[in-house]
Amino acid sequence: AQSVTQLGSHVSVSEGALVLLRCNYSSSVPPYLFWYVQYPNQGLQLLLKYTSAATLVKGINGFEAEFKKSETSFHLTKPSAHMSDAAEYFCAVSDRRTGNQFYFGTGTSLTVIP
Amino acid sequence: ETGVTQTPRHLVMGMTNKKSLKCEQHLGHNAMYWYKQSAKKPLELMFVYSLEERVENNSVPSRFSPECPNSSHLFLHLHTLQPEDSALYLCASSRDSYTGELFFGEGSRLTVL
């Protein structure tokens, strides 16, 4: 079975500061890993995904994430926060064998302080 | 614009009403999904359809009834819902049910009185 833990349901950063959103997963097999973003009153949009290629994955809007097998982590980072980054962020894992079962974390709400 | 369109965006219904949520995808995908999003809870997968056949049904109450008439359309029929069913219902699609990337619609906000 797989699961996802997102540490910190709320994160606040100043504009221009580093963004770090944490995600740890548990999986019995090498997983696919994803970060999605949800802006108010909208659906989820894919930021980036890891599917066993490079461990450092670059996504849209300047975000990137690093897959660390030894730590079972897939933390999301952005060097400099922008006001438009304020949103809800979800980490997700799926089994490569049966990709239709996605497991989502409970989400992290990012606030950017001017 | 994600290529997945949901209607209506907002729906208020009484517990004895019958209503339906509609989802349409213009991406040529073969798999479609219904998720329930409630506050402070992980997204809950409700149903998965692959090539118009249901491949996943996560113990969803029978008051929710999905229908997938073709690979581009997905419905969620609602009947005698409970107030705790109030949530954001998200439709998603993917190239196939193993690809590992979902494209979501903007959701239908359901309120059950």
Side-chain angles (χ1 to χ4, degrees):
Chain A
Q2 286 136 6
S3 66
V4 174
T5 302
Q6 291 185 242
L7 294 176
S9 58
H10 297 277
V11 171
S12 293
V13 299
S14 297
E15 190 174 15
L18 171 72
V19 176
L20 171 61
L21 304 182
R22 300 178 186 274
C23 173
N24 288 88
Y25 68 92
S26 65
S27 175
S28 56
V29 297
Y32 290 139
L33 293 160
F34 308 83
W35 275 100
Y36 285 84
V37 61
Q38 185 178 31
Y39 298 103
N41 301 314
Q42 294 188 26
L44 279 69
Q45 177 185 0
L46 182 68
L47 269 179
L48 48 80
K49 62 180 179 180
Y50 167 77
T51 56
S52 81
T55 56
L56 182 62
V57 181
K58 293 187 183 299
I60 62 172
N61 300 338
F63 284 93
E64 61 183 36
E66 186 172 9
F67 171 66
K68 292 187 176 180
K69 184 178 179 180
S70 61
E71 299 178 6
T72 60
S73 69
F74 191 58
H75 301 330
L76 181 71
T77 61
K78 181 174 181 178
S80 177
H82 191 272
M83 296 298 294
S84 61
D85 294 327
E88 190 87 15
Y89 291 81
F90 294 90
C91 183
V93 61
S94 73
D95 186 338
R96 291 184 190 180
R97 298 168 302 180
T98 57
N100 60 22
Q101 186 65 279
F102 279 74
Y103 296 86
F104 283 87
T106 51
T108 298
S109 178
L110 176 66
T111 299
V112 181
I113 303 167
Chain B
E1 178 60 48
T2 64
V4 180
T5 304
Q6 290 187 242
T7 55
R9 294 291 311 278
H10 300 272
L11 178 62
V12 179
M13 58 187 291
M15 289 190 287
T16 58
N17 292 159
K18 287 184 180 181
K19 297 286 185 183
S20 296
L21 305 181
K22 178 183 177 182
C23 177
E24 183 174 1
Q25 58 98 357
H26 309 278
L27 301 169
H29 289 167
N30 291 320
M32 297 187 76
Y33 309 73
W34 279 117
Y35 279 88
K36 177 183 179 182
Q37 185 177 29
S38 304
K40 306 304 179 187
K41 295 175 67 175
L43 269 71
E44 301 172 50
L45 177 63
M46 301 176 72
F47 302 103
V48 181
Y49 277 82
S50 178
L51 295 172
E52 301 150 41
E53 289 191 20
R54 190 188 307 181
V55 297
E56 195 78 37
N57 177 352
N58 280 0
S59 302
V60 179
S62 59
R63 58 186 183 269
F64 294 91
S65 174
E67 178 188 1
C68 188
N70 55 63
S71 60
S72 298
H73 294 86
L74 184 65
F75 295 88
L76 188 63
H77 303 299
L78 315 170
H79 182 222
T80 60
L81 296 190
Q82 304 298 310
E84 60 264 28
D85 297 322
S86 299
L88 182 68
Y89 289 85
L90 291 166
C91 175
S93 72
S94 61
R95 188 180 67 220
D96 53 55
S97 61
Y98 297 89
T99 187
E101 180 175 345
L102 301 176
F103 291 77
F104 284 86
E106 294 186 321
S108 293
R109 173 70 63 185
L110 173 66
T111 302
V112 181
L113 302 176

